[in-house]
Amino acid sequence: MNDQWFAPAHLAAMKLPGMPDTERGIRLMAERDGWRARLNMAGEPLARRREGRGGGWEYHSTLLPTRAQMALVRELGAESAPAAPAGRSELWDWFARQPEKRKAVAGERAAAIRAVKILQKGGVQVNLAVATVAHQRAIGASTLYAWFNLVAGIEEADWLPHLCPRHQGRTSVAGLSPEAWEFIKADYLRPEKRPFENCYEDLRQAAAANGWQIPAARTLRRRIEREIPAAIVTLLRDGEEAARRMFPWQERDRTCFHALEAVNADNHTIDVMVRFPDGTVDRPSIIAVQDLYSNKILAWRVDLNPTATGTRLAFYDVFRAYGVMSLAFLDNGREFAAKLITGGQPTRYRFKVTAGEMDGVLTSLGVEVHWCRPYSGQSKPIERAFKEFCQAISTHPAFAGAYTGSSPTTKPANYGSRAVGFDEFMAVFAEGVRQYNARPGRRTRVCGGTMSFDDAFARSYAQSVITKATDEQLRMAMLAAEPVTARTPDGSIHLLGNRFWGEFLHERIGQKVVARFDPDDLHAGVHAYRLDGAYLGFAECWEAVGYLSVDQGREHNRDRKAWLKATKAMAAIERKWTPDMVAALMPEIDETPAPETKTVRMFAGNAAVAVAAPDPAAIQQNEKWFADTFHAGLQVVKGGRED
């Protein structure tokens, strides 16, 4: 072909490097890269309808990748390849892809022509001017005349692409059998990342056994680097994640938010061995919430493992201290996708979504959740904050001997020599977070290289409309405990070794109530609810005091006397009438008249019936019967039996 227009079928048949080897693949590549809309600098289209049978599209060779154009030079020759494009835009496009060495040669040639032009303007004849410049630059006069011919009729601004050398150099390729090429690719492009030297040794033995032609090792390696795209090598040898990193990351402008409008949260295991209060020695897990606008860490909680409880309490801290955000960017971990946190969200697929399931804390407060890819610093900026924590907090001098290193290969020499106490860890980590937030000169778009994260957050927070959490919303964000019983005689509830009491519990003595509380701050008290969810009131924590603590005993007695006095006053208000007043209002009851008999015994004669004298023998017989019966009853009571 003498022109530089190619149909997809022709390009696929040539199997150019960096190009699909099927006609459909070429069409998809053209559609993806928008070849049909591309124009050259003159405004001419680089795609055109194909004439003749079948129709279709043809594409100019300058649309192809650079390595594909170089392959065209070797395969079709200089006349068909884009080595010397005719159009002005094609010329400069070709010139831009040339190495600097060739561009420098074009510049030297242009300088020599300008030197001749200057001498001519000074009155020197053209032949003498050419001879003078040729002598000064140690080149032949005929060579200089040839350069003049290359730019004849060309504007000086376009000299460089015309003067650039167009020789192709060595175009011969060392012999390589197709079977050998496929063999080395199959062996080298594997996830095991086998060294090229071992792959070449296997190829050499296979070539000797099968009669294949192979070049030297260095030549073959250069051919792999030249003809197989680096992205493909990375994908097949290092994996999909490494290949994904080769695509430029998207820079997201967070200035569209204001303070607390959007947050992101994640879990991170700190590389420090800590002794927990229960005696467990392990690396603690940090669940942190970060403001997306300013990068400030708003809240964090520590747990042995990432849990929905720790996540819930971290968000509770944000609600309590700052307010309710509108957006939350989370990864799809169990601690974030749990029903307690994001239940009811339409895009929550970590667990099975059931109709009518309970709404999570974020859902019930109207927080819209967006799910991000794990371990992605572009999706969750808090990943970069965790990296800074690893560099600054984990290696703090207070953690010497407890630092584990970020991987098994980076363990320090004193690894495992000690475990830091839980309280000490909490104090050092809290100070590290404060320093992270307060460090000035942060190089972000929001901070501008001068402000700290604290400053940026405070400035925007003061100027923004913030949704504050109500007391009931804060209680919703607290952990729900198992039902506990309001014990007698005062109605106090006992939870995790602590005693809580409020006067309203008198009405619940012996009944079950539900307590909501912060497990990291039990002394702050609990909120009591009925089993049906109705709020009852707040119960304070009654701490145990020393047995011989006189001062606290006196204070307790004063409190009890004050409470009893207040209760008596309320009782006096409730009972305004005295017992005498009640008795005075009781009605008197009239004496009941004797009833009249309806039956009358008739008397016989004028005398009453005489009363007969008692018979002594009958009386003695009755007494003997009573004594015998009473004795028999006693025998029955004693377990005996009546004879």
Side-chain angles (χ1 to χ4, degrees):
M1 296 178 62
N2 293 327
D3 58 18
Q4 297 172 31
W5 296 87
F6 300 90
H10 189 196
L11 291 173
M14 289 189 289
K15 299 184 182 301
L16 299 173
M19 299 279 291
D21 57 359
T22 63
E23 183 177 357
R24 183 174 182 273
I26 297 294
R27 290 199 181 101
L28 290 175
M29 184 178 185
E31 181 178 357
R32 182 195 66 198
D33 296 339
W35 284 3
R36 296 181 187 178
R38 296 277 295 275
L39 304 173
N40 58 23
M41 293 185 64
E44 301 169 345
L46 296 177
R48 68 184 184 185
R49 287 285 185 180
R50 183 172 176 270
E51 298 179 357
R53 184 178 179 182
W57 287 84
E58 290 180 330
Y59 303 102
H60 197 270
S61 57
T62 55
L63 292 172
L64 307 183
T66 302
R67 291 190 302 141
Q69 295 188 37
M70 295 175 62
L72 279 176
V73 172
R74 296 190 298 267
E75 185 170 345
L76 301 178
E79 291 183 358
S80 300
R88 184 170 181 265
S89 60
E90 288 82 359
L91 272 171
W92 279 104
D93 184 65
W94 169 84
F95 180 75
R97 295 193 300 270
Q98 302 307 305
E100 290 296 329
K101 186 175 181 180
R102 291 191 180 186
K103 293 178 181 178
V105 171
E108 293 174 357
R109 293 178 177 180
I113 295 176
R114 292 191 187 96
V116 173
K117 294 284 189 181
I118 292 174
L119 291 177
Q120 284 184 287
K121 289 181 180 180
V124 180
Q125 294 182 354
V126 60
N127 293 337
L128 181 57
V130 169
T132 302
V133 173
H135 177 72
Q136 291 175 347
R137 297 177 178 268
I139 57 177
S142 59
T143 301
L144 193 51
Y145 279 117
W147 294 347
F148 267 96
N149 292 333
L150 290 176
V151 296
I154 304 298
E155 295 289 338
E156 185 175 348
D158 294 331
W159 280 1
L160 290 179
H162 288 273
L163 294 173
C164 186
R166 289 181 173 80
H167 61 274
Q168 300 301 320
R170 186 172 63 91
T171 59
S172 59
V173 180
L176 176 64
S177 300
E179 297 84 358
W181 178 238
E182 296 301 328
F183 182 95
I184 191 66
K185 288 193 296 181
D187 195 16
Y188 182 69
L189 301 177
R190 288 191 292 139
E192 290 77 11
K193 302 174 66 172
R194 197 170 187 220
F196 176 80
E197 292 74 11
N198 299 99
C199 297
Y200 184 80
E201 179 61 25
D202 291 347
L203 174 63
R204 189 185 62 79
Q205 296 178 12
N210 294 279
W212 298 340
Q213 185 180 7
I214 61 172
R218 293 179 60 184
T219 302
L220 184 57
R221 185 158 195 167
R222 284 196 302 268
R223 181 166 179 175
I224 290 176
E225 295 173 354
R226 183 178 64 249
E227 298 190 10
I228 302 178
I232 294 178
V233 175
T234 302
L235 174 65
L236 297 178
R237 284 179 64 87
D238 299 323
E240 182 177 348
E241 185 61 31
R244 186 181 289 111
R245 288 195 295 268
M246 296 183 70
F247 192 82
W249 54 273
Q250 182 183 37
E251 183 177 359
R252 300 185 179 184
D253 184 9
R254 286 178 272 153
T255 58
C256 60
F257 297 130
H258 62 72
L260 201 66
E261 182 179 0
V263 302
N264 68 139
D266 201 1
N267 161 70
H268 180 72
T269 301
I270 296 294
D271 301 323
V272 177
M273 298 302 292
V274 176
R275 187 178 303 278
F276 286 80
D278 62 354
T280 303
V281 176
D282 205 342
R283 296 187 302 163
S285 177
I286 306 294
I287 293 180
V289 182
Q290 181 192 44
D291 177 55
L292 272 179
Y293 171 78
S294 63
N295 279 357
K296 177 178 180 176
I297 300 297
L298 301 177
W300 53 275
R301 288 281 179 146
V302 177
D303 205 342
L304 185 59
N305 295 300
T307 61
T309 298
T311 302
R312 186 172 189 169
L313 293 176
F315 276 101
Y316 164 71
D317 292 340
V318 178
F319 300 152
R320 179 178 56 182
Y322 303 105
V324 181
M325 69 289 301
S326 300
L327 303 170
F329 292 82
L330 314 172
D331 68 25
N332 211 13
R334 290 179 177 270
E335 63 273 19
F336 298 106
K339 293 182 180 180
L340 285 174
I341 308 301
T342 55
Q345 291 280 343
T347 56
R348 175 180 157 271
Y349 302 117
R350 185 64 166 81
F351 297 105
K352 183 179 180 180
V353 179
T354 58
E357 71 176 6
M358 178 187 67
D359 286 346
V361 174
L362 299 183
T363 308
S364 57
L365 293 181
V367 180
E368 182 181 344
V369 175
H370 294 262
W371 304 103
C372 306
R373 292 180 57 251
Y375 310 108
S376 174
Q378 293 80 29
S379 303
K380 302 190 302 298
I382 199 171
E383 295 279 2
R384 293 191 285 276
F386 287 152
K387 182 178 180 180
E388 189 168 333
F389 289 171
C390 293
Q391 296 171 347
I393 300 180
S394 298
T395 57
H396 193 278
F399 298 157
Y403 176 60
T404 64
S406 58
S407 69
T409 60
T410 59
K411 293 181 179 180
N414 60 350
Y415 170 80
S417 59
R418 66 184 285 257
V420 67
F422 183 77
D423 292 338
E424 182 182 3
F425 170 80
M426 293 291 287
V428 174
F429 188 84
E431 180 61 26
V433 173
R434 284 192 291 268
Q435 292 180 4
Y436 170 84
N437 289 333
R439 186 175 303 132
R442 292 291 190 175
R443 298 180 180 275
T444 65
R445 290 189 177 184
V446 173
C447 296
T450 58
M451 291 189 296
S452 65
F453 296 153
D454 277 337
D455 297 336
F457 181 84
R459 185 182 67 175
S460 176
Y461 188 84
Q463 301 172 354
S464 303
V465 178
I466 304 297
T467 302
K468 289 291 187 177
T470 64
D471 292 340
E472 178 58 25
Q473 288 174 328
L474 290 177
R475 291 193 292 267
M476 288 173 57
M478 299 172 77
L479 176 66
E482 293 292 332
V484 292
T485 302
R487 300 186 182 183
T488 56
D490 54 2
S492 62
I493 58 179
H494 295 246
L495 190 64
L496 301 177
N498 293 270
R499 184 163 54 101
F500 304 89
W501 182 80
E503 197 166 340
F504 65 92
L505 290 173
H506 283 159
E507 308 299 327
R508 302 291 164 182
I509 294 177
Q511 300 179 17
K512 293 284 189 180
V513 296
V514 175
R516 291 181 182 270
F517 63 96
D518 182 353
D520 290 342
D521 190 11
L522 277 175
H523 290 173
V526 301
H527 294 273
Y529 289 76
R530 286 195 326 219
L531 295 182
D532 61 2
Y535 182 63
L536 295 175
F538 176 74
E540 295 183 353
C541 178
W542 288 62
E543 301 182 47
V545 300
Y547 191 81
L548 298 177
S549 178
V550 177
D551 292 338
Q552 294 186 7
R554 289 174 179 171
E555 183 179 354
H556 178 73
N557 287 333
R558 286 194 299 267
D559 293 342
R560 181 172 55 188
K561 289 179 180 179
W563 173 82
L564 187 58
K565 182 179 180 180
T567 304
K568 289 180 179 179
M570 295 178 63
I573 295 174
E574 291 293 335
R575 194 181 64 180
K576 296 180 180 180
W577 289 5
T578 64
D580 294 339
M581 297 171 64
V582 174
L585 293 175
M586 295 290 293
E588 295 183 359
I589 301 177
D590 297 333
E591 184 178 353
T592 304
E596 296 182 0
T597 179
K598 300 295 184 180
T599 304
V600 179
R601 174 182 291 182
M602 300 300 295
F603 289 95
N606 295 324
V609 179
V611 179
D615 185 2
I619 294 175
Q620 185 178 6
Q621 184 179 1
N622 288 337
E623 291 178 351
K624 183 178 183 303
W625 174 85
F626 176 79
D628 293 342
T629 304
F630 182 74
H631 177 73
L634 288 177
Q635 293 299 322
V636 173
V637 172
K638 292 180 180 179
R641 63 183 180 84
E642 184 179 2
D643 297 334

